[in-house]
Amino acid sequence: MKKSVIIIGAGVGGLATAIRLLSRGYNVKIYEKQKTIGGRTNQLIHDPFTFDLTASILLNREILEEVFSYAHLDFNDYIEFVKIDPTYRCFYPDGTQYDFSRDLVSLIKTLESFSIEDSIGYIKLFGEVYERYNIANRDFLQRSFENPVDFFNPSSLISALKTKAFSTSYQLISEYIKDEKLINFLCYQSLYVGVSPYEGPSIYALVPVISQLYGLWHLRGGVYSYIKALEKVIYQLGGEIITNYSVDEIIISDDKAIGVKSKELDEVYGDIIVSNADFPYTMAHLIKSGHHKGEYTKEKLKEMKYSCSSFILYLGLKTKYPQLSVHNLYLNTNFKENVEFAFTGKLPPDASMYIYCPTGIDDSMIKNEGESLSVVVRVPNLLFDSISWDKATVMDMRNRIVDTLKTIKGLEDLEENIEYEGYFTPKDLKNDFNSYGGTAYGLSPTLTQTNYFRPHFKSTQVKNLYFVGSSVHPGPGVSIVLLSSKLVTEEILKDTSSRFY
Ligand SMILES: Cc1cc2nc3c(=O)[nH]c(=O)nc-3n(C[C@H](O)[C@H](O)[C@H](O)COP(=O)(O)OP(=O)(O)OC[C@H]3O[C@@H](n4cnc5c(N)ncnc54)[C@H](O)[C@@H]3O)c2cc1C
């Protein structure tokens, strides 16, 4: 008899876990609260404009491909990667702009325009971080840490020291590079996991390094085309996705998870329950008894550190803006002070921003002659309780962003060409996807909340209960969550010793 698995949530973590388990012979049903699947990796369509709701930068293309090969499928039959060059275009308030190409010859030309010393520093920094990345990838990201001995052994501890995780990203970057514009370009990318480059471990300097060394890729149709591809595979392998089903409780009997409950709908039962809902939310709301929460009590959840959130402005434009590349950064004055606002409960007055303009290379995301543009600003999460996100706040953010965009050469008339505009706030992250505290990336991947110290995939208190997603090991971001789906699947296979295939 095939074992039945219930997955709570159709985020990228839940969907990928479903594919892996289906391919190994399990029966899988996913229950998703929203009417659409994808969770935080979602889509906004306002004809003629298509926007990726949040995630747009795809690191480690091979991790995205691996989900298909795990199920003995060819990714080429489902998704189409398009090369992005330059990886980034950077704009500064003094009117300068720089392209960071994936081509080494062009890149060096850009770097030398800062200074020869900074160009050499950049290459040295990348050499050092590349070495650390390989250690982290082998010894941390791809390992489960379910048992203390997996982490607290001499080889892991030596590896931890080799990754020199104790300095911050800013400290590491500024050791090699002196030009402030270049430092800010690299620091901004360490923000992608939702920790400050001035506080978070220097291992996150690996984000710009991976982007440069392995390249950034666009998926035709946007990142959401990956979600659609996962959905197609799930149905092909016999899985089921039930939307508009909000789980209110994980049913536990004799310390064993046996099913899920919804207020309005029927209870459903399964042999294994995997929660893809944000881990702290799962602990706070879906597990009712204190005993079954284990160490994750209300007090502990309050004490833990959480990543920042984001405000997004979506702009449907009537005309094309070839001045923009796919991934653009506007790195504003008082960079450090403004970045730190997102971690101290304040809105940045001179926000630096990420500008995503995929329609320059992807006509499937636009049906007119214009652009689908999203602009992302890092803001505090709702746990600070300092910003109401009422209409006035949203319009203030919107106006500041539009005013900044208009200072970029060639974008002066942008406001006149807005045909559609939409907004996304931390409140939407909380209300739509049950993201605990409205964070963008879940639990902050600080040193004390990574590897063995991050929540594990398997409940210590409840048998047959597992977790997958941003707030568990190895951490946030689409590709890292896909690694989490692999690790949790291996754990389930080990525990159930199933060999159905
Ligand atoms: C603004 C922003 C920008 C980002 N940019 C990038 C980027 O460029 N690149 C990148 O790699 N990553 C990016 N990320 C991060 C990335 O989107 C997430 O790490 C990833 O999507 C998380 O996937 P997940 O499976 O862990 O969880 P989620 O996407 O949170 O999925 C959880 C699912 O569970 C559902 N759910 C919750 N509670 C219940 C319940 N009670 N019953 C039923 N269903 C429930 C939710 O509705 C959701 O569908 C970004 C995130 C944000 C917010």
Side-chain angles (χ1 to χ4, degrees), residues 9 11 13 32-33 39-41 55-57 247 276 281 434 469-470 477-478:
E32 165 58 49
K33 78 181 267 283
R40 278 175 272 192
T41 302
S56 54
I57 299 166
V247 172
N276 174 224
Y281 162 86
N434 287 339
S470 298
V478 172

Side-chain angles (χ1 to χ4, degrees), residues 8-14 31-34 38-41 54-57 245-247 276-277 281 286 310 312 429 432-434 440-441 469-470 476-478 481:
I8 306 166
V12 68
Y31 291 86
E32 165 58 49
K33 78 181 267 283
Q34 292 292 97
R40 278 175 272 192
T41 302
T54 62
S56 54
I57 299 166
Y245 185 110
S246 184
V247 172
N276 174 224
Y281 162 86
L286 302 186
S310 295
I312 307 179
L429 279 164
D432 293 351
F433 308 119
N434 287 339
Y441 302 92
S470 298
V478 172
V481 169

Side-chain angles (χ1 to χ4, degrees), residues 13 25 48 50 55 59 76 98 129 138 184 238 245 254-255 292 334 343 352 361 383 410 433 449:
T50 298
L59 297 166
N76 289 303
Y98 299 88
V129 179
R138 184 194 62 212
N184 294 350
Y245 185 110
D254 288 337
D255 297 334
H292 292 135
N334 302 323
F343 301 92
S352 288
I361 60 162
L383 298 167
F433 308 119
Q449 294 186 165

Side-chain angles (χ1 to χ4, degrees), residues 299-317:
E299 293 69 38
K300 163 94 177 175
L301 292 179
K302 215 169 158 194
E303 250 166 44
M304 294 181 88
K305 293 205 165 22
Y306 294 85
S307 62
C308 65
S309 192
S310 295
F311 173 81
I312 307 179
L313 173 66
Y314 308 96
L315 294 177
L317 301 171

Side-chain angles (χ1 to χ4, degrees), residues 138-153:
R138 184 194 62 212
D139 294 342
F140 302 113
L141 293 178
Q142 311 260 6
R143 293 184 56 186
S144 93
F145 300 121
E146 279 307 304
N147 300 312
V149 71
D150 293 337
F151 184 72
F152 295 104
N153 64 60

Side-chain angles (χ1 to χ4, degrees), residues 328-365:
N328 309 273
L329 300 178
Y330 184 93
L331 301 170
N332 217 332
T333 40
N334 302 323
F335 177 83
K336 178 173 186 278
E337 187 189 345
N338 278 278
V339 162
E340 285 177 333
F341 277 150
F343 301 92
T344 50
K346 290 176 241 147
L347 286 178
D350 300 309
S352 288
M353 52 195 80
Y354 160 68
I355 308 154
Y356 176 47
C357 182
T359 33
I361 60 162
D362 188 345
D363 57 10
S364 74
M365 295 178 77

Side-chain angles (χ1 to χ4, degrees), residues 137-204:
N137 193 31
R138 184 194 62 212
D139 294 342
F140 302 113
L141 293 178
Q142 311 260 6
R143 293 184 56 186
S144 93
F145 300 121
E146 279 307 304
N147 300 312
V149 71
D150 293 337
F151 184 72
F152 295 104
N153 64 60
S155 124
S156 279
L157 293 172
I158 289 167
S159 294
L161 287 174
K162 279 193 191 152
T163 62
K164 294 188 200 157
F166 302 102
S167 56
T168 66
S169 293
Y170 172 77
Q171 282 165 338
L172 174 71
I173 292 164
S174 56
E175 222 178 273
Y176 289 94
I177 293 167
K178 301 298 162 227
D179 187 283
E180 203 184 321
K181 287 181 185 169
L182 207 46
I183 293 175
N184 294 350
F185 165 61
L186 297 170
C187 279
Y188 190 87
Q189 293 175 71
S190 338
L191 267 172
Y192 290 174
V193 286
V195 286
S196 163
Y198 305 101
E199 275 178 26
S202 66
I203 191 67
Y204 297 117

